[in-house]
Amino acid sequence: MTEPTTSPSRHVAIIGGGPAGLMAAEVLSQAGVRVDLYDAMPSVGRKFLLAGVGGMNITHSEAYPAFLSRYAERAPQMATLLRAFDATALCQWIHDLGIETFVGSSGRVFPTDMKAAPLLRAWLKRLRESGVVIHTRHRWLGWHADGQLRIDSPTGEQQLKPDAVLLALGGGSWARLGSDGAWMPLLAGRGVELAPLQPSNCGFDVAGWSEVLRSKFAGAPLKNIAIALQNSTPRLGECVITASGIEGSLIYAWSAPIREAINQQGVATILIDLLPGKPVDKVAAALAKPRGSRSMSKHLHSQLGIDGVKAALLRELAPAECFADPQRLAQAIKGLALNLIKTRPLDEAISSAGGVRFEAMDENLMLKAIPGVFCAGEMLDWEAPTGGYLLTGCFASGRAAGLGLLSWLKA
Ligand SMILES: Cc1cc2nc3c(=O)[nH]c(=O)nc-3n(C[C@H](O)[C@H](O)[C@H](O)COP(=O)(O)OP(=O)(O)OC[C@H]3O[C@@H](n4cnc5c(N)ncnc54)[C@H](O)[C@@H]3O)c2cc1C
């Protein structure tokens, strides 16, 4: 796509220096627009850096239809953003910054050194060279009655009247990294349609673990399991028992439907398969073998390799009488029902759902209620599982909003 160019005298304020805001800054500065980027924190890209701590998973290599399906009901809207900047384009963009990438066994894409910091450093250097001025410790407070932006800075409150504004303020989790969701009432006050921020890719609480499970197994990983919600295809992976419930990548992958079930019914029941590689009849046959004087724990361990946290969870959730009936116990092992009653708090979540509704914006990602103000990144009302889909969505929407803003300036 040819990027529209505009007069260098045009001035844009970007609020928020996460991946979305920085990507918009790149598009705009490359087109000759004067860009000032404001961020409330002492440095930009803090959540991006945190995302790099456990291995920066920047995108995913799966085929585009599967990739797009991760955005669930927002797939049609995300398709228009990803069309101009999909996973392949994102990888090429990273390579252009001098950072190589590799595809992990799960199909996830990482920078070769797994880190976010070298990428951010190279990117910020390039942005500064292209004229982007970054103002840290500058918090946007909203608008004055005359439409000027209110920016709180170390030297006092400033007022700005740029030609256009791009908001990339992030979602509502990990407030200490800057994305505190404090923008919600500011936009609501200007008549922008918003969906409430909710935890996504989050852990869940149970009604209460037994003292044994909590004291001995909080923090223990449940590996090689599968989880399903009723009437859905199970997914393989792993998760972690916590003091109050359960979390981890497999739970995050299910977090949207679990959260919605809790919202609607007050409870979501997940079915945990402790032995996804073994059909139920084989499990039952193994359990039916004579165990002599061996305890049931030893029998489960020797016949099926179930011990540790898996054995504890089975004891916790399977009715006691199952243990006398191999068929029923096999069914419990293949589908342990666990009731989840509450999401963990939004601030703990990896990302948030909700935010600025797509219906509140035009095709350029400009707010219909506030002409000249554009939005991008996690603050838009979409969600996706972990696996690189979050960052790809933020980069793609930052780029789309930047291009949309350019078109609007030109028009
Ligand atoms: C622990 C963790 C691990 C993650 N791992 C991955 C991963 O591996 N892969 C992946 O794809 N995603 C991952 N994510 C998610 C990803 O980091 C976010 O989705 C992404 O950073 C959001 O980008 P953004 O630009 O929309 O917002 P943010 O990165 O949140 O940036 C928003 C910026 O706006 C600033 N701001 C907010 N309000 C104001 C204001 N009023 N005035 C001025 N500035 C303001 C903030 O200071 C912040 O710098 C992870 C997230 C977490 C928490």
Side-chain angles (χ1 to χ4, degrees):
M1 184 191 286
T2 316
E3 293 169 18
T5 54
T6 183
S7 150
S9 57
R10 296 300 208 150
H11 177 222
V12 168
I14 296 179
I15 320 284
L22 293 172
M23 185 53 91
E26 180 154 280
V27 170
L28 290 163
S29 62
Q30 282 173 358
V33 174
R34 190 157 62 85
V35 178
D36 280 282
L37 185 145
Y38 300 87
D39 199 292
M41 300 303 283
S43 58
V44 294
R46 291 193 165 207
K47 197 178 253 186
F48 183 67
L49 288 175
L50 178 75
V53 167
M56 157 110 305
N57 173 203
I58 203 142
T59 190
H60 203 288
S61 63
E62 68 190 348
Y64 182 69
F67 189 101
L68 186 61
S69 72
R70 308 295 171 178
Y71 299 92
E73 62 262 45
R74 292 286 172 272
Q77 291 89 348
M78 294 305 286
T80 63
L81 310 179
L82 291 166
R83 202 173 293 142
F85 202 69
D86 60 7
T88 311
L90 176 52
C91 287
Q92 186 53 52
W93 174 84
I94 297 168
H95 300 161
D96 290 346
L97 279 169
I99 309 279
E100 290 308 312
T101 52
F102 75 95
V103 180
S105 54
S106 58
R108 293 172 180 224
V109 179
F110 303 87
T112 311
D113 62 3
M114 306 284 279
K115 293 190 181 122
L119 197 162
L120 184 62
R121 245 191 331 267
W123 191 15
L124 289 176
K125 181 170 177 285
R126 190 163 81 183
L127 286 172
R128 288 198 171 102
E129 283 167 1
S130 69
V132 175
V133 181
I134 296 176
H135 308 261
T136 54
R137 299 181 202 272
H138 280 62
R139 172 173 287 277
W140 171 63
L141 301 175
W143 290 271
H144 276 287
D146 63 1
Q148 297 204 68
L149 295 178
R150 294 180 56 206
I151 306 274
D152 183 35
S153 80
T155 54
E157 192 172 316
Q158 300 177 4
Q159 297 182 15
L160 291 180
K161 187 90 180 96
D163 295 307
V165 178
L166 194 146
L167 301 176
L169 303 163
S173 74
W174 288 74
R176 62 188 176 281
L177 301 179
S179 46
D180 55 12
W183 50 269
M184 290 280 285
L186 298 177
L187 293 192
R190 295 288 303 269
V192 177
E193 241 186 292
L194 304 171
L197 293 179
Q198 298 192 76
S200 181
N201 293 300
C202 57
F204 292 88
D205 287 346
V206 299
W209 292 129
S210 66
E211 182 50 33
V212 176
L213 202 82
R214 193 173 47 243
S215 62
K216 289 200 176 150
F217 294 100
L222 271 170
K223 295 192 175 187
N224 301 321
I225 58 161
I227 288 182
L229 250 75
Q230 254 129 19
N231 305 324
S232 62
T233 313
R235 291 183 197 167
L236 294 166
E238 61 183 73
C239 57
V240 178
I241 298 292
T242 65
S244 62
I246 194 158
E247 65 174 27
S249 53
L250 186 53
I251 289 293
Y252 299 159
W254 281 113
S255 65
I258 295 175
R259 184 192 65 229
E260 290 314 310
I262 293 175
N263 284 346
Q264 280 158 29
Q265 298 137 34
V267 64
T269 305
I270 58 169
L271 297 173
I272 305 175
D273 182 346
L274 296 176
L275 293 174
K278 253 194 187 349
V280 68
D281 53 337
K282 290 236 164 64
V283 176
L287 289 169
K289 287 188 185 158
R291 69 178 161 106
S293 58
R294 275 182 313 174
S295 68
M296 179 50 92
S297 309
K298 288 209 169 110
H299 193 53
L300 280 167
H301 175 60
S302 62
Q303 291 301 323
L304 296 166
I306 292 179
D307 55 11
V309 62
K310 282 190 176 177
L313 197 66
L314 187 61
R315 284 278 173 203
E316 179 90 5
L317 298 176
E321 47 296 359
C322 277
F323 287 82
D325 178 345
Q327 196 60 44
R328 284 191 64 196
L329 187 55
Q331 272 156 8
I333 289 169
K334 295 294 292 172
L336 265 187
L338 175 63
N339 288 336
L340 305 176
I341 57 163
K342 209 161 82 166
T343 59
R344 293 297 302 157
L346 174 59
D347 197 46
E348 284 178 22
I350 295 220
S351 60
S352 47
V356 177
R357 290 188 195 275
F358 280 91
E359 295 72 20
M361 299 176 293
D362 69 9
E363 67 287 356
N364 285 330
L365 301 185
M366 183 173 83
L367 293 173
K368 291 175 186 165
I370 325 177
V373 177
F374 296 73
C375 294
E378 204 182 304
M379 70 182 292
L380 306 186
D381 178 23
W382 59 277
E383 65 181 310
T386 54
Y389 309 103
L390 294 166
L391 282 173
T392 308
C394 291
F395 284 120
S397 62
R399 188 173 154 78
L403 289 171
L405 193 157
L406 279 177
S407 304
W408 183 79
L409 281 181
K410 279 194 83 186

